[in-house]
Amino acid sequence: MSDVELPEVIRVARDLIRIDTSNFGGGDAKGEREAAEYVGAYLESLGLNPEYYEPIPRRTNVMARVPGRDSSKPALVVHGHLDVVPAMAEDWSVDPFAGEVRDGMLWGRGAVDMKNMDAMILTSVAEILRAGERPERDLVLVFFADEENGGVEGSALVVKERPEWFAGATEAISEVGGYSITVDDRRAYLLQVGEKALIWIRLVAKGRAGHGSRLHDDNAVVKLADAVAAIGRTRWPIRLTATTEALLQGLSELSGRSIDDPDALASAAGPAEAFLRSTFRTTANATALTAGYKHNVIPERAEALIDVRVLPGTEDEVLAELQQIVGDDIVIEMVVRDIGMETPFQGELVDAMVQSLGRGDPGVPVIPYLLGAGTDNKALSTLGITGYGFAPLRLPADLDFTGMFHGVDERVPIESLVFGQQVLTDLLRTY
């Protein structure tokens, strides 16, 4: 398609993908400044007055407030993040930062997580304002830095230093919810009403340094390898919450399958199976190893990074269990720790989101679910703001959408993104 033929939501998402905002974590990031300036310029073109907050050089956050028809109602925060995880170009079929449109899809890092939603937010507000209308209530539009590092240099600082941005707001919507799955042969939408807690830990093993040719029974690398393998072999038990019980009930009603085996029931959701199964239990995955500096030198220290996600309220319990798994010789250092959240699948905003999806795709059920990962809603919760995941997308049954979060060849169908922008616009007009 030519630029003229592309829907605006696709053009904006493509433009954002072409701004490389890779975040390697731990403060190593290209920065969001250029993306924030792009967003700010777009907001200015709509007659809004964006504000910027850059607490750390190049780690830029941007906000604009949109007056609603009824400012007596609590404001709604609509937010996204501008950073993305890195992409190894040699692993991709396309340039991950080219924003290529091919085969009816927009390809690139951020097409799924989450420059697609950033574009939906911008173009939904644009559609309302350009029509000479206003949203039902005040909207607080925020685009954060550093979400892919737990928000340490983004939303966590914004809520502390710029709480006035969120004055009068009680609820928020953002990523990883409102998208469709296919349960056997029936479509349903997942609405995110909770998130597991994020616990990023570092395992540290220490031993005696020495020559690589010697008999050596105090090897830090071996100790670390044993600890990492022990975590990898651990099978955490299923532990359901109110949200995951409701999810299973919805899947059972759609598929006719028994609710007794949650893992088997999740398989009815096709490509989304692994994403849903992770919400039933703790997960702990090794993601990085660091040890040694020469082939014939046994190092004194070895380290591993472990990404742990736990059900709300089980954080301390899981940390204690992890220490038992790795043993007393391994030191567990905390890198990032945040909170888990769970909100009832009820209330005016939930009803409004369900109704907007229903107007966009009549007769298709909406099911609550617990996100196995996390979003910037956690930072907003410290201000008393209740967050939901609502980035609506009607997806093809055979597309492994959830598998493309942080994956290779990340892409989103053009039709799905257009649908999402229409549903989001409907919500902002009516709620």
Side-chain angles (χ1 to χ4, degrees), residues 237-321:
I238 290 174
R239 190 167 176 174
L240 300 179
T241 72
T243 301
T244 50
E245 287 177 349
L247 166 71
L248 291 170
Q249 185 63 43
L251 294 177
S252 178
E253 291 173 0
L254 282 167
S255 67
R257 303 189 190 194
S258 170
I259 204 169
D260 295 335
D261 186 341
D263 285 336
L265 182 52
S267 69
E273 173 187 358
F275 207 66
L276 296 181
R277 288 180 60 202
S278 71
T279 70
F280 302 154
R281 49 173 63 78
T282 292
T283 61
N285 289 300
T287 55
L289 300 170
T290 304
Y293 50 91
K294 196 174 187 300
H295 207 134
N296 61 348
V297 178
I298 298 169
E300 182 180 7
R301 181 184 176 101
E303 301 178 358
L305 300 182
I306 311 293
D307 186 343
V308 186
R309 311 293 177 121
V310 309
L311 299 173
T314 67
E315 294 90 332
D316 291 337
E317 175 187 333
V318 169
L319 282 170
E321 190 165 352

Side-chain angles (χ1 to χ4, degrees), residues 62-284:
V62 59
M63 181 279 295
R65 196 171 188 109
V66 185
R69 293 190 299 272
D70 186 353
S71 291
S72 68
K73 292 184 175 181
L76 176 68
V77 181
V78 187
H79 63 98
H81 63 84
L82 296 172
D83 61 324
V84 296
V85 295
M88 304 299 289
E90 59 269 26
D91 297 334
W92 286 55
S93 303
V94 300
D95 179 345
F97 297 103
E100 182 174 333
V101 176
R102 186 213 293 181
D103 302 327
M105 296 192 181
L106 173 64
W107 299 61
R109 180 58 88 211
V112 167
D113 185 13
M114 68 166 294
K115 290 178 175 177
N116 61 340
M117 177 60 169
D118 294 335
M120 288 162 57
I121 295 168
L122 292 171
T123 53
S124 290
V125 172
E127 181 174 331
I128 294 170
L129 296 182
R130 288 171 185 162
E133 303 173 7
R134 289 194 290 172
E136 172 61 21
R137 64 185 66 218
D138 287 6
L139 303 178
V140 180
L141 311 180
V142 189
F143 300 83
F144 291 112
D146 202 46
E147 191 275 345
E148 297 294 0
N149 185 48
V152 175
E153 297 184 350
S155 59
L157 297 179
V158 173
V159 297
K160 290 179 181 178
E161 303 297 330
R162 293 292 184 275
E164 67 276 9
W165 280 8
F166 308 99
T170 58
E171 295 171 312
I173 57 173
S174 188
E175 59 178 329
V176 207
Y179 60 90
S180 71
I181 59 172
T182 300
V183 182
D184 289 335
D185 60 349
R186 298 182 62 187
R187 187 164 60 248
Y189 289 92
L190 295 178
L191 182 58
Q192 190 254 99
V193 297
E195 303 179 8
K196 291 169 77 176
L198 175 151
I199 302 177
W200 284 348
I201 58 174
R202 179 185 293 109
L203 304 184
V204 179
K206 293 184 178 180
R208 188 175 70 254
H211 199 289
S213 67
R214 298 187 59 181
L215 288 171
H216 200 93
D217 59 2
D218 190 20
N219 189 316
V221 176
V222 173
K223 293 178 183 178
L224 180 72
D226 285 344
V228 170
I231 290 176
R233 286 191 296 265
T234 299
R235 293 295 173 261
W236 299 87
I238 290 174
R239 190 167 176 174
L240 300 179
T241 72
T243 301
T244 50
E245 287 177 349
L247 166 71
L248 291 170
Q249 185 63 43
L251 294 177
S252 178
E253 291 173 0
L254 282 167
S255 67
R257 303 189 190 194
S258 170
I259 204 169
D260 295 335
D261 186 341
D263 285 336
L265 182 52
S267 69
E273 173 187 358
F275 207 66
L276 296 181
R277 288 180 60 202
S278 71
T279 70
F280 302 154
R281 49 173 63 78
T282 292
T283 61

